[in-house]
């Protein structure tokens, strides 16, 4: 029955999961023909018309993931930002929203300079949720839409640009005649001083046959993860412009495989920086209009997270 509602003479009719879920009932043998959900015949199939909330709010999270690869000599090999505008909508009725960003093409089309102190951002590979009116965006770069209820991704984008590594990790390895090996790891944050990264986790690969670990550091906690063949250095809060040092000592068996050590995996870093974006994207405005005229509260938050963040060891 669901396939019959989704297709009409071989052509897609509706694929919105929230609308199709209304056809699913608990009765196993319902003889009555169910009435069509309003969303099927409505031009806005992703939102019901009778939604009501006593408190109208909408939350917008600008989440960016940084994918980065640095060679052992410090050369930046790959740098990419993948971003998403994630919304959580608790609005009554059929609201109309308008969202403005510091889009470089917007200022060029209007022929006026950027009045904001922040930089202009040139977005690539922009993809929108079906609720966005694409014709309006192509005309004046305004993101106009009637949002679905609940959680959804309004927009995704990508930027391929050279980005200064947010975390710079240097690992100095000192082997001692196949009997032991010592690591000195320097971790430096290279983002603005006012920002703080949370739950930073630095994974440093070590030899497969390493044993008897001992660590020394003045910040965070360090543990040996034999299942990963790495040392995990965890720092709960890492402020911008700071540098920390960790030392690790391992014992090694008398016979070691030198060739295996030459192909060691890279250092990986996990982190989350709230109130910060790598690209510099900013929400200039978020307007909410509804025919009943109620007042709604928009909340905007910025988050930068690690993607595939790797630094090769020398």
């Amino acid at each position: 029955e669901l396939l019959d509602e989704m297709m009409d003479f071989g052509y897609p009719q509706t694929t919105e999961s929230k609308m199709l879920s209304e056809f699913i009932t608990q009765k196993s043998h319902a003889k009555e023909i169910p009435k069509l959900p309003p969303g099927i015949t409505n031009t806005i199939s992703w939102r019901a018309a009778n939604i009501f909330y006593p408190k109208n709010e909408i939350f917008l999270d600008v989440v960016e993931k940084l994918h980065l690869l640095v060679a052992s000599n410090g050369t930046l090999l790959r740098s990419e930002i993948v971003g998403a505008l994630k919304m959580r909508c608790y609005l009554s009725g059929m609201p109309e929203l308008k969202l403005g960003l510091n889009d470089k093409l917007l200022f060029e089309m209007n022929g006026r300079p950027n009045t904001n102190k922040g930089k202009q951002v040139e977005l690539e590979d922009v993809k929108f949720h079906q609720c966005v009116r694409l014709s309006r965006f192509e005309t004046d770069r305004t993101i106009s839409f009637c949002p679905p209820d609940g959680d959804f991704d309004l927009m995704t984008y990508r930027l391929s640009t050279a980005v200064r590594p947010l975390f710079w990790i240097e690992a100095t390895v000192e082997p001692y005649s196949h009997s032991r090996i010592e690591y000195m790891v320097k971790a430096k944050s290279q983002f603005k001083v006012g920002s703080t990264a949370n739950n930073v986790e630095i994974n440093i690969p070590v030899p497969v046959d390493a044993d008897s670990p001992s660590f020394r550091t003045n910040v965070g906690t360090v543990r040996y993860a034999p299942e990963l063949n790495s040392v995990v250095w965890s720092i709960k809060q890492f402020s911008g412009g700071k540098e920390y040092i960790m030392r690790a000592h391992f014992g090694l068996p008398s016979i070691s495989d030198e060739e295996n050590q030459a192909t060691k995996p890279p250092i990986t870093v996990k982190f989350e920086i709230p109130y910060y974006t790598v690209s510099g994207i900013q929400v200039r405005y978020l307007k909410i209009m509804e025919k009943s005229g109620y007042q709604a509260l928009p909340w905007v938050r910025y988050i930068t997270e690690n993607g595939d963040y790797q630094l090769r060891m020398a």
Side-chain angles (χ1 to χ4, degrees):
E1 184 180 347
L2 288 178
L3 289 175
D4 184 52
E5 297 298 336
M6 292 173 64
M7 307 292 291
D8 188 8
F9 295 100
Y11 294 95
Q13 183 178 3
T14 179
T15 57
E16 183 64 33
S17 59
K18 292 183 180 179
M19 295 297 106
L20 292 173
S21 64
E22 297 185 24
F23 286 102
I24 302 174
T25 61
Q26 297 297 325
K27 298 180 181 179
S28 58
H29 301 285
K31 294 182 179 180
E32 297 181 0
I33 300 176
K35 295 177 65 177
L36 286 174
I40 297 297
T41 56
N42 191 3
T43 55
I44 302 177
S45 62
W46 54 86
R47 184 179 179 88
N50 56 352
I51 298 174
F52 173 76
Y53 289 100
K55 184 178 181 181
N56 293 282
E57 294 179 305
I58 187 162
F59 300 87
L60 171 60
D61 286 350
V62 182
V63 181
E64 290 189 343
K65 289 191 175 183
L66 176 60
H67 301 276
L68 185 131
L69 177 61
V70 178
S72 57
N73 60 359
T75 304
L76 184 64
L77 300 178
R78 184 172 75 98
S79 174
E80 184 181 63
I81 302 170
V82 178
L85 272 62
K86 299 179 178 292
M87 301 199 86
R88 181 173 294 176
C89 180
Y90 303 114
L91 298 176
S92 305
M94 301 291 285
E96 183 74 19
L97 276 68
K98 289 184 179 180
L99 175 69
L101 304 172
N102 58 333
D103 188 0
K104 183 178 180 181
L105 290 179
L106 172 64
F107 293 101
E108 291 178 352
M109 289 172 62
N110 294 336
R112 69 177 190 269
N114 185 6
T115 55
N116 294 341
K117 293 182 179 180
K119 63 181 180 180
Q120 301 170 1
V121 179
E122 188 171 0
L123 304 177
E124 304 171 9
D125 293 345
V126 179
K127 296 179 182 178
F128 291 107
H129 188 273
Q130 62 174 333
C131 66
V132 176
R133 295 175 176 83
L134 297 179
S135 58
R136 180 73 182 274
F137 179 77
E138 293 172 355
T139 303
D140 57 7
R141 307 293 287 186
T142 299
I143 303 174
S144 176
F145 60 100
C146 179
D149 188 47
D151 299 345
F152 68 101
D153 286 355
L154 176 67
M155 167 183 151
T156 60
Y157 59 91
R158 181 182 63 87
L159 282 87
S160 295
T161 180
V163 177
R164 187 185 185 193
L166 299 180
F167 286 94
W168 187 258
I169 312 297
E170 292 182 6
T172 304
V173 184
E174 297 182 1
Y176 291 92
S177 64
H178 308 299
S179 62
R180 59 190 175 93
I181 188 170
E182 291 185 358
Y183 290 79
M184 185 183 73
V185 182
K186 290 183 180 180
K188 183 179 181 181
S189 56
Q190 299 188 134
F191 47 89
K192 61 182 181 180
V193 177
S195 299
T196 301
N198 297 328
N199 303 318
V200 179
E201 188 176 285
I202 305 169
N203 288 269
I204 305 100
V206 298
V208 178
D209 51 358
D211 57 16
S212 306
S214 62
F215 310 107
R216 189 171 74 240
T217 182
N218 57 353
V219 64
T221 59
V222 188
R223 64 181 178 89
Y224 173 49
E227 70 280 4
L228 301 175
N229 295 318
S230 67
V231 172
V232 181
W233 185 11
S234 302
I235 303 174
K236 194 169 185 179
Q237 289 189 322
F238 203 134
S239 301
K242 296 290 186 179
E243 180 176 323
Y244 301 114
I245 296 177
M246 185 271 293
R247 297 179 185 273
H249 177 277
F250 288 91
L252 291 176
S254 57
I255 301 175
S256 179
D257 188 356
E258 295 292 342
E259 294 182 359
N260 190 34
Q261 300 305 317
T263 58
K264 49 195 168 189
I267 297 172
T268 60
V269 186
K270 298 179 181 179
F271 57 87
E272 179 181 289
I273 308 176
Y275 316 110
Y276 182 83
T277 57
V278 188
S279 66
I281 191 173
Q282 292 180 352
V283 176
R284 295 173 52 239
Y285 59 84
L286 178 57
K287 299 179 181 179
I288 305 169
M289 294 159 286
E290 214 276 333
K291 59 183 180 180
S292 63
Y294 61 72
Q295 296 294 321
L297 297 174
W299 305 92
V300 181
R301 183 174 61 167
Y302 301 93
I303 303 173
T304 293
E305 301 174 346
N306 67 283
D308 189 12
Y309 196 104
Q310 300 182 347
L311 300 97
R312 293 177 179 171
M313 296 179 63

